């Protein structure tokens, strides 16, 4: 009997000692979780893209991006002399067709860094060096405007404006030579986007060089598989709600079709509605 009591006491002591061992808890990440490296703003708080919308593939995103911004690109070409094809190709490349951290969280579509003359909001992100400073805008249209201001306002880009407006190859090479990007293949990448997505058609529209044959081609290929009946041009007074009602869509469906996250629209902007 004494031996049994002793045995029970020993077992109890062992159980008591084991209970002090910390419990290891494992958790599983939810299905569809994807890591996104955070961008830090000036106050060092972190911003991550947590959109629940299904991401577009690269080709779809590029098509939607170009359909959305070709209007502002042509407007900037008319005003500042920068080829619309170059503006769009740079936008697609630098912003990942609007899906990069900088584009989503800072509305920076052209990878423009702060530099000493920038007085606006800032975000910090690893690039050529760690924790580099990039400009932050309230909306994408400000990024397109600032892109034009940078190219027209800095002396190192002055030689670009002596080039023919329709010569996108010379402009692509000139941007690299002027120091816009450090990637040695930057010109080739821009030219590839321009030729893959027929972006030179927007230069032709601005320069008035479209022939009837070219116009027919645009109806088939413009906006990349979407004919004119699939597009709607924003008019004065339009809102996401009014446009979505007009085409029997929800606001969320309209934004997803066009890879949009902002709530603002601009007159002349084209949206994919079918």
């Amino acid at each position: 009997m004494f031996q049994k009591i002793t045995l029970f006491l020993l077992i109890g002591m062992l159980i008591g000692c084991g209970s002090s061992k910390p419990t290891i808890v494992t958790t599983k990440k939810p299905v569809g979780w994807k890591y996104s490296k955070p961008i830090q703003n000036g106050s060092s708080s972190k911003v991550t893209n947590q959109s629940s919308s299904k991401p577009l593939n690269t080709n779809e995103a590029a098509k939607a991006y170009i359909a959305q911004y070709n209007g502002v690109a042509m407007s900037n070409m008319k005003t500042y002399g920068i080829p619309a094809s170059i503006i769009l190709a740079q936008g697609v490349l630098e912003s990942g067709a609007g899906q990069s951290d900088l584009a989503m969280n800072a509305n920076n579509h052209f990878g423009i860094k702060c530099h000493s003359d920038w007085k606006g909001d800032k975000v910090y992100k690893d690039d050529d060096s760690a924790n580099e400073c990039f400009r932050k805008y309230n909306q994408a249209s400000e990024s397109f405007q600032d892109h034009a201001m940078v190219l027209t306002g800095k002396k190192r880009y002055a030689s670009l404006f002596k080039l023919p407006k329709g010569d996108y190859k010379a402009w692509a090479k000139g941007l690299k030579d002027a120091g816009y990007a450090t990637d040695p293949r930057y010109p080739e990448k821009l030219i590839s986007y321009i030729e893959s997505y027929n972006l030179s058609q927007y230069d032709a529209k601005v320069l008035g060089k479209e022939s009837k044959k070219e116009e027919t081609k645009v109806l088939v290929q413009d906006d990349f598989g979407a004919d004119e009946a699939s597009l709607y041009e924003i008019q004065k007074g339009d809102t996401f709600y009014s446009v979505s009602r007009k085409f029997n869509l929800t606001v969320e469906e309209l934004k997803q079709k066009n890879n949009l996250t902002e709530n603002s629209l601009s007159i002349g902007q084209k949206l994919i509605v079918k």
Side-chain angles (χ1 to χ4, degrees):
M1 184 67 179
F2 177 77
Q3 290 179 338
K4 290 182 179 180
I5 293 172
T6 302
L7 180 59
F8 284 130
L9 288 173
L10 288 172
I11 292 172
M13 290 175 66
L14 289 172
I15 293 174
C17 292
S19 64
S20 64
K21 186 176 181 179
T23 303
I24 298 174
V25 179
T26 60
T27 59
K28 293 183 178 180
K29 295 179 178 66
V31 175
W33 180 91
K34 183 177 180 181
Y35 173 75
S36 176
K37 187 174 182 179
I39 298 176
Q40 297 181 345
N41 61 23
S43 61
S44 297
S45 60
K46 295 182 179 179
V47 182
T48 56
N49 173 25
Q50 296 179 345
S51 173
S52 59
S53 300
K54 183 179 179 181
L56 301 175
N57 66 41
T58 302
N59 190 48
E60 289 174 336
K63 291 176 182 178
Y65 187 92
I66 294 162
Q68 180 182 357
Y69 293 114
N70 69 72
V72 69
M74 287 190 287
S75 176
N76 280 9
M77 181 176 179
K78 292 175 184 177
T79 303
Y80 303 106
I82 306 165
S85 60
I86 288 291
I87 296 170
L88 290 169
Q90 282 194 284
V92 172
L93 177 59
E94 297 285 353
S95 76
Q99 295 186 322
S100 70
D101 283 345
L102 277 176
M104 298 292 286
N105 298 320
N107 288 309
N108 189 330
H109 285 236
F110 296 92
I112 299 176
K113 297 180 182 178
C114 295
H115 305 298
S116 59
D117 58 342
W118 178 246
K119 306 300 181 184
D121 293 335
K122 305 170 183 177
V123 295
Y124 294 86
K125 186 177 183 297
D126 293 349
D127 191 54
D128 295 325
S129 302
N131 208 36
E132 291 198 77
C133 182
F134 289 85
R135 301 183 182 189
K136 181 179 181 181
Y137 309 96
N138 292 322
Q139 53 189 9
S141 59
E142 295 177 11
S143 180
F144 278 80
Q145 177 70 16
D146 198 36
H147 171 260
M149 294 297 95
V150 168
L151 293 188
T152 57
K154 292 188 179 294
K155 291 182 179 179
R156 61 176 171 163
Y157 298 118
S159 61
L160 292 171
F161 296 89
K162 298 176 182 178
L163 300 171
K165 292 181 181 179
D167 191 348
Y168 61 83
K169 292 183 178 179
W171 269 80
K173 184 177 183 299
L175 281 167
K176 171 64 177 64
D177 292 342
Y180 191 97
T182 57
D183 183 355
R185 296 191 64 250
Y186 195 74
E188 288 81 358
K189 290 178 180 179
L190 293 182
I191 292 168
S192 176
Y193 278 121
I194 291 169
E195 296 181 348
S196 295
Y197 293 103
N198 190 23
L199 301 185
S200 60
Q201 65 181 289
Y202 300 111
D203 299 340
K205 287 181 181 180
V206 174
L207 296 173
K209 293 184 177 180
E210 288 182 299
S211 65
K212 291 184 178 180
K213 181 177 180 181
E214 287 174 328
E215 288 174 358
T216 302
K217 180 180 179 182
V218 166
L219 288 177
V220 176
Q221 295 186 352
D222 193 11
D223 298 301
F224 319 100
D227 60 25
E228 291 297 328
S230 301
L231 300 172
Y232 175 76
E233 185 171 328
I234 297 301
Q235 309 296 315
K236 184 177 181 180
D238 279 337
T239 64
F240 273 110
Y241 179 73
S242 66
V243 175
S244 63
R245 288 289 301 274
K246 185 177 294 186
F247 295 98
N248 197 29
L249 298 168
T250 66
V251 171
E252 183 63 25
E253 287 172 340
L254 183 61
K255 286 186 174 183
Q256 286 186 13
K257 280 179 177 291
N258 292 277
N259 192 31
L260 295 176
T261 57
E262 298 176 355
N263 292 317
S264 59
L265 294 171
S266 57
I267 297 173
Q269 178 179 345
K270 290 185 179 180
L271 296 182
I272 298 173
V273 292
K274 294 183 181 179

